Amino acid sequence: MGIARYRVRPPGTAELPTEREVLAEAERIRAAEEVASFGRRERKKALEVHRFAEQIAFALRGAPRSRPLTVLDGACGKSVLSFVARTLLLPRLGLRARIVGVDESAERITTCRRIARNLGLDEMEFHAGRLADVPLPPRIDVAWALHACGDATDQFLARAVRAHVRYVLCVPCCHPKIGRGFDALGLPASGRLRARVGDALLDSARFLRLEAAGYRVDAVDFAGGEVTPRNLMLRAEKTASGRSPADAAARLARLVELFPELGR
Ligand SMILES: C[S@@+](CC[C@H](N)C(=O)[O-])C[C@H]1O[C@@H](n2cnc3c(N)ncnc32)[C@H](O)[C@@H]1O
């Protein structure tokens, strides 16, 4: 079985996959999709995955090595991130994992299963369904989501919080629009500026929701604007050493008073 093939390394001694290695692995994964082309879009995805992988390595430095972790990949798409994590990153970190990918597109899930079969990765599983209500394993240690569209990010975060997932790494994608509240604050009637402020407000509400649920949260630029304009990652760990959940809940309530759409 795949899990038995892992080499175990002590934490902190791993050499992280280089950009070149991730690109080569992404090409191998693309070939396992049974598609010959590896173009600009695939290259961009590989670079995002490389940068995301660095954040996984940082976030999981204290994760247990004595048992396999269960990882949720929310809105996994073709799961390039999870395949690279499984074949390249996690073995170098000395981590074993069962990875569960979820996407509402049945077609993408079929593709993921084909790739896993072609790569001989029998400990990865993929389920078609919405993050809001798809059945999930009873215990999840790590949840990651790269560019889950619109409110899929919110569904993902809500599921992770409800499941008490210890490590959460989330890069939001396109945002649902905020319409109300800007006039009261005196913001200019510029769609572009309001969209930017709206993005920041929505991610702030997500940040505070995690803090209010007992997570220590960081908002980091994970990739650099030249790789993706959707560059913000919320990296969170459920721990007793986070900021006050009550204070976060109070801040969130103030934000929702000003921008009621953030209360959805
Ligand atoms: C921009 S793609 C990102 C895919 C992948 N994470 C990646 O980085 O390549 C967004 C994915 O979210 C999925 N999606 C959107 N809403 C969803 C939901 N509510 N539940 C599950 N998947 C969803 C779409 O089917 C699509 O595959």
Side-chain angles (χ1 to χ4, degrees), residues 150-151 154-155 158 174-180 198 201-203 205-206 209 252 255-257 259-264:
D151 64 0
D154 299 296
Q155 294 175 23
C174 46
H175 288 65
K177 282 216 168 31
I178 312 261
R180 289 188 282 151
L201 286 169
L202 200 53
D203 288 330
R206 289 164 171 161
R209 246 178 221 116
L252 180 62
L255 212 53
V256 171
E257 226 173 272
F259 299 95
E261 284 151 303
L262 295 177
R264 279 183 298 220

Side-chain angles (χ1 to χ4, degrees), residues 47-69:
L47 295 181
E48 289 174 6
V49 164
H50 172 252
R51 309 303 195 266
F52 200 118
E54 291 178 339
Q55 297 297 329
I56 294 174
F58 181 78
L60 300 190
R61 63 201 182 284
R65 266 72 183 163
S66 54
R67 62 173 175 85
L69 302 174

Side-chain angles (χ1 to χ4, degrees), residues 208-215 242-254:
L208 288 170
R209 246 178 221 116
L210 285 165
E211 279 195 337
Y215 285 83
R243 276 204 291 260
S244 155
D247 179 60
R251 284 170 193 265
L252 180 62
R254 279 209 298 282

Side-chain angles (χ1 to χ4, degrees), residues 149-177:
C149 307
D151 64 0
T153 285
D154 299 296
Q155 294 175 23
F156 166 78
L157 290 173
R159 277 316 274 281
V161 165
R162 240 188 298 150
H164 304 286
V165 174
R166 176 154 178 196
Y167 303 99
V168 180
L169 296 103
C170 176
V171 175
C173 190
C174 46
H175 288 65
K177 282 216 168 31

Side-chain angles (χ1 to χ4, degrees), residues 45 48 73-80 102-105 108 129-132 145-149 151-152 155 173:
K45 181 57 61 185
E48 289 174 6
D73 183 345
C76 60
K78 293 182 188 170
S79 299
V80 182
V102 169
D103 199 283
E104 69 176 7
S105 158
R108 289 194 182 138
R130 285 173 59 76
L131 280 161
L146 172 57
H147 292 157
C149 307
D151 64 0
Q155 294 175 23
C173 190

